[in-house]
């Protein structure tokens, strides 16, 4: 079901002839509360179980399919703002994802979530989309990005970054200490490092632009 819905959303967005907004609204509006409920129940789950430590388990595969659906909803949110909760929940309840990234789930799943956050802060829905193309025309997206930025800065102000691995085995954001017996020559995942850094920098940028006083900015 997740795969089917994701594929339909992506195909509608790629189409150059169909009235995308009307079709997507007809598809997503009846599912709005259901998809928000999915988000709450799936991502508010405790992922420390052994079922999520391998990317090949059924549980991990279902979670990856849900990430793909979130990416499709993000694309629809940025390109066709229908003001549906299922389009906004990724921004408004991003704390669920931030908690997952610092949990013990498999590195591949963490990386997919981090790359999804990167697309959020770049307002980039698809790989071929122009970064920020519709942002200035979309005030509600600006509000959502501010909510996301506040949540990111709150966890960064704690020890969140120190808990995020930069490869499956080697180094962490807060240092380069490796587990005994690991090959320390492998280096860190530069893609994840750049994505994390960009998420934090963009969150700071949004906070600066929406801070009323100099003290708040500091």
């Amino acid at each position: 079901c997740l795969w089917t819905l994701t594929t339909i959303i992506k195909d509608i967005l790629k189409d150059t002839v169909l009235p995308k907004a009307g079709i997507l609204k007809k598809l997503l509006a009846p599912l709005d509360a259901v998809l928000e409920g999915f988000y709450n129940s799936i991502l508010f789950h405790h992922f420390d179980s052994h079922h999520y430590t391998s990317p090949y388990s059924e549980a991990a595969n279902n979670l990856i399919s849900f990430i793909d659906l979130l990416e499709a909803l993000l694309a629809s949110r940025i390109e066709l703002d229908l003001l549906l909760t299922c389009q906004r929940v990724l921004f408004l309840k991003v704390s669920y994802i931030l908690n997952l990234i610092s949990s013990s789930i498999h590195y591949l799943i963490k990386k997919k979530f981090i790359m999804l956050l990167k697309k959020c802060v770049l307002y980039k829905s698809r790989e071929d989309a122009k970064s920020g193309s519709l942002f200035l025309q979309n005030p509600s997206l600006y509000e959502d990005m501010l909510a996301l930025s506040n949540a990111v800065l709150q966890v960064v102000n704690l020890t969140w970054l120190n808990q995020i691995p930069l490869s499956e085995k080697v180094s962490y954001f807060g240092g380069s200490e490796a587990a005994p017996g690991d090959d320390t020559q492998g280096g860190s995942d530069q893609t994840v490092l750049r994505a994390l850094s960009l998420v934090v920098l963009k969150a700071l940028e949004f906070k600066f632009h929406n801070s009323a006083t100099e003290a708040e900015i500091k």
Side-chain angles (χ1 to χ4, degrees):
C1 290
L2 290 172
W3 183 89
T4 302
L5 183 57
T6 301
T7 302
I8 291 172
I9 294 172
K10 288 181 176 179
D11 286 349
I12 291 172
L13 292 175
K14 288 177 184 176
D15 198 286
T16 56
V17 180
L18 295 173
K20 301 179 186 179
I23 294 176
L24 262 180
K25 190 159 190 176
K26 190 176 290 188
L27 172 69
L28 293 177
L31 297 172
D32 197 24
V34 174
L35 291 175
E36 183 186 7
F38 269 8
Y39 186 95
N40 294 337
S41 61
I42 293 176
L43 299 188
F44 195 60
H45 181 66
H46 292 290
F47 288 94
D48 296 327
S49 126
H50 68 280
H51 296 297
Y52 297 94
T53 54
S54 166
Y56 307 109
S57 68
E58 183 180 359
N61 190 53
N62 290 338
L63 184 56
I64 290 171
S65 295
F66 189 65
I67 297 172
D68 292 338
L69 175 59
L70 289 177
E71 188 172 333
L73 289 171
L74 172 64
S76 72
R77 170 76 178 92
I78 293 172
E79 295 184 33
L80 299 166
D81 184 13
L82 306 175
L83 298 177
L84 295 172
T85 305
C86 65
Q87 292 181 308
R88 305 184 66 190
V89 69
L90 174 60
F91 295 87
L92 301 179
K93 296 185 179 180
V94 72
S95 59
Y96 291 8
I97 289 176
L98 298 174
N99 290 336
L100 278 177
I101 291 172
S102 60
S103 74
S104 61
I105 57 172
H106 192 273
Y107 179 75
L108 172 66
I109 301 175
K110 295 186 184 196
K111 185 170 182 175
K112 284 185 72 70
F113 272 124
I114 291 169
M115 302 314 292
L116 181 62
L117 285 182
K118 176 189 170 185
K119 289 187 176 184
C120 287
V121 299
L122 289 179
Y123 345 117
K124 190 173 182 180
S125 53
R126 300 196 309 265
E127 289 303 324
D128 59 343
K130 293 182 179 178
S131 180
S133 56
L134 297 177
F135 181 68
L136 295 177
Q137 305 164 25
N138 198 329
S140 62
L141 179 58
Y142 197 88
E143 294 172 9
D144 289 357
M145 273 303 310
L146 184 57
L148 183 146
S149 299
N150 285 332
V152 168
L153 292 177
Q154 283 176 10
V155 295
V156 168
N157 198 37
L158 302 172
T159 58
W160 183 72
L161 287 176
N162 296 337
Q163 302 170 49
I164 301 174
L166 289 180
S167 77
E168 281 194 58
K169 295 182 178 178
V170 186
S171 59
Y172 280 74
F173 199 103
S176 58
E177 183 178 353
D182 280 344
D183 177 13
T184 57
Q185 301 303 314
S188 57
D189 187 332
Q190 296 300 306
T191 301
V192 170
L193 178 59
R194 286 193 297 268
L196 277 172
S197 300
L198 187 62
V199 168
V200 175
L201 287 171
K202 281 291 186 180
L204 282 169
E205 179 185 18
F206 270 93
K207 191 64 176 174
F208 289 164
H209 290 166
N210 290 273
S211 295
T213 64
E214 184 177 349
E216 190 178 3
I217 292 176
K218 287 183 179 179

